[in-house]
Amino acid sequence: MACLTDAKICAEPESIEFTKDYSNTEGVTYAPNSKVEIKIRCENLSSKFNPKVFVFFEERVYNYGVPESKWLLVGSTETAKNEQNPSFAKSFVFEYYFQYIQNLRFVVLDMEGKNDGFLTNDYIGYVEKCIGELLVNNKQKKNTYDIFGAVPFGMKFREKKHTVKDARMIISIEEVVNTAVQAVFDISCKDLDKMDVIGKSDPYFVISKKLDNGSWGKVYTSKVKKNTLNPNWRQVGLDIVQFNSGNDKKLLRFEVFDWDRNKNPDYIGKFEADFETIKSKKTFELIDEEKKKKKNDYKNSGIFTFDSINFTEGFSFSTFTLHGTEIAVVFAIDFTSSNGNPTEETSLHKIVDLADLSDFKSLNQYQKAITAIGHVLESYDTNKKFGVYGYGAQFEGTEGIKYDYPLNGNENDPNVEGIQGILNVYYKTLERVKLGEPTNFAPIIKKITKSVKKEGCSKVKGENVLNKYTILTIITDGEISDMKETISEIKKASELPISIIIIGVGNSDFTSMEELDGDENQISSNGKKIRDVVQFVPLNKYISDPDVLASETLAEVPKQFFNFINENKCVPPDFELTK
């Protein structure tokens, strides 16, 4: 490998910033997980080259399930004159989103023409990577890539038979803007309305922010304070992007409720204000509009005060992926008889020939869910291996119905290689499985959380180190039969580094799935607030666009991740390097 110590560096360093607005199907704009800066070097180019790197961003659209790519030119580096091992000064800044595949192409040209025209300068080669993969590879010091000499699909360049043997590109990436800034509040209420016949009230509060489409999105649910009309909440930490999308003028709503064990909470009152007003005013009246209409002498239902507001800078999602935290991915597939016989055309498990697996349109609904979600998550799994389980059927070589069966038949190592490995083992299972019933989630959640408890976190030098965060994706066709047991396992999972994604396929009633994703499950039977770890998405709503399906499904994961690391004061494995 050539030494870069003496490489020429072009003067006038600068950066090019590229932004793209991402929003959900309701038009609500997503906030980025961080901003990252990319810098480029090359090795072993011909000494006669005047290399320049052009960076392109892939924009994909789907027409009737068929992807069409358009490569947008982000910008280019400076030209390095007669340089074999150029280290380019110009850098590229991107907003990073966990739930999207952000593909980049780095195209190297030999600048012999009088301008930057692609047909007036000689093509050398290219590298294509997504930002998520660059983040994971960078932490493993695997950020050196071979430069391919073939012209990439969909692009036209002036070709010359340049040799790119042993030519490499080194792509370094680092976080430049930390979006993990927290607002930390000390909050108190005074003289809340008494809602309970016996005793006082058991108050808690809920924060929501007004979204771009005019609706309200829940941001935070506090802990319950038992038997008091003057509660205090200390050191309430909220990520600023989550709290107000980084906009101090965004309208916020604070609602106070009285928690009840056996019935819905009683409403006490609310106020609305933007963060700019909150920081200056700090004290607000809680108003119950219905009481105000009925009582002429009504003043308020209590006083809500921000006793202190401070700001701290924590670790962002990309900080953890850059510094050693592994994202592990597990799939659990529903093989109950309600899916229909795989040999029939109407079956949700309709057997699709292996040769057609690259054609998204032709896939059955389970294969579509696996492909769309898996392609995003594959970038984050360091060894590109996925755990794959089946449930609700009798599998080859087993007796009775199993609910946590490894599809490769190996209890000690249920992993397969990449997305294609999942599709292959799923295909083979369909040929031999005996579909059964009922649909139970609790066993697979219990099995995975047992592993998470052992491998997720460890104590190092007094720090709580997050080694691995697990995403369990359960694909199902409808109602479950073990709701009580499933809720119990989810509440246990809420204390561990895990997110549970449920994808509903077909047209069944998914009421129970929506209940598992409901906000009422954020408060347990003893009034303790628990972390929200479940996200439910109906496949049919997004089936025509796998990118939208993936983004809607995975959008909540960074927030669930943040809530875990904040509640447990976690640091990444290489935490000393982040100081």
Side-chain angles (χ1 to χ4, degrees), residues 363-386:
L363 303 181
N364 71 35
Q365 294 209 10
Y366 282 85
Q367 290 167 324
K368 285 180 177 177
I370 292 166
T371 302
I373 306 305
H375 277 313
V376 176
L377 295 179
E378 192 172 31
S379 301
Y380 297 96
D381 200 304
T382 49
N383 57 16
K384 308 298 182 193
K385 291 187 176 182
F386 298 86

Side-chain angles (χ1 to χ4, degrees), residues 111-161:
M111 306 305 291
E112 293 186 337
K114 294 181 179 179
N115 56 42
D116 283 358
F118 297 154
L119 298 178
T120 58
N121 296 284
D122 291 340
Y123 175 78
I124 297 175
Y126 81 104
V127 171
E128 184 174 326
K129 295 292 170 185
C130 72
I131 292 178
E133 186 176 2
L134 291 174
L135 286 168
V136 172
N137 289 346
N138 196 76
K139 78 181 183 187
Q140 295 182 303
K141 306 293 189 289
K142 295 180 180 178
N143 56 346
T144 300
Y145 308 98
D146 291 333
I147 296 176
F148 295 103
V151 173
F153 179 77
M155 290 184 164
K156 290 183 178 180
F157 297 99
R158 188 172 85 177
E159 292 187 67
K160 267 204 173 180
K161 297 244 176 162

Side-chain angles (χ1 to χ4, degrees), residues 318-449:
S318 57
T319 302
F320 277 84
T321 54
L322 275 168
H323 290 280
T325 296
E326 179 185 350
I327 305 296
V329 182
V330 180
F331 282 88
I333 301 170
D334 183 343
F335 286 96
T336 54
S337 55
S338 55
N339 285 282
N341 189 323
T343 61
E344 296 177 0
E345 190 68 23
T346 57
S347 172
L348 295 172
H349 280 307
K350 182 187 74 170
I351 295 178
V352 176
D353 190 277
L354 277 171
D356 295 331
L357 290 180
S358 60
D359 179 5
F360 187 81
K361 252 197 336 183
S362 71
L363 303 181
N364 71 35
Q365 294 209 10
Y366 282 85
Q367 290 167 324
K368 285 180 177 177
I370 292 166
T371 302
I373 306 305
H375 277 313
V376 176
L377 295 179
E378 192 172 31
S379 301
Y380 297 96
D381 200 304
T382 49
N383 57 16
K384 308 298 182 193
K385 291 187 176 182
F386 298 86
V388 193
Y389 293 85
Y391 63 92
Q394 183 177 344
F395 299 93
E396 186 179 32
T398 67
E399 294 183 6
I401 304 299
K402 302 295 181 185
Y403 295 98
D404 53 5
Y405 179 76
L407 293 191
N408 67 356
N410 189 339
E411 284 284 357
N412 296 320
D413 185 10
N415 296 309
V416 299
E417 293 279 349
I419 301 306
Q420 193 62 50
I422 300 175
L423 294 172
N424 290 347
V425 76
Y426 165 71
Y427 182 87
K428 291 176 183 176
T429 301
L430 287 179
E431 295 178 326
R432 304 178 181 92
V433 71
K434 184 178 180 180
L435 305 183
E437 58 182 30
T439 303
N440 293 341
F441 284 180
I444 187 62
I445 296 174
K446 185 175 183 178
K447 172 171 272 191
I448 301 307
T449 52

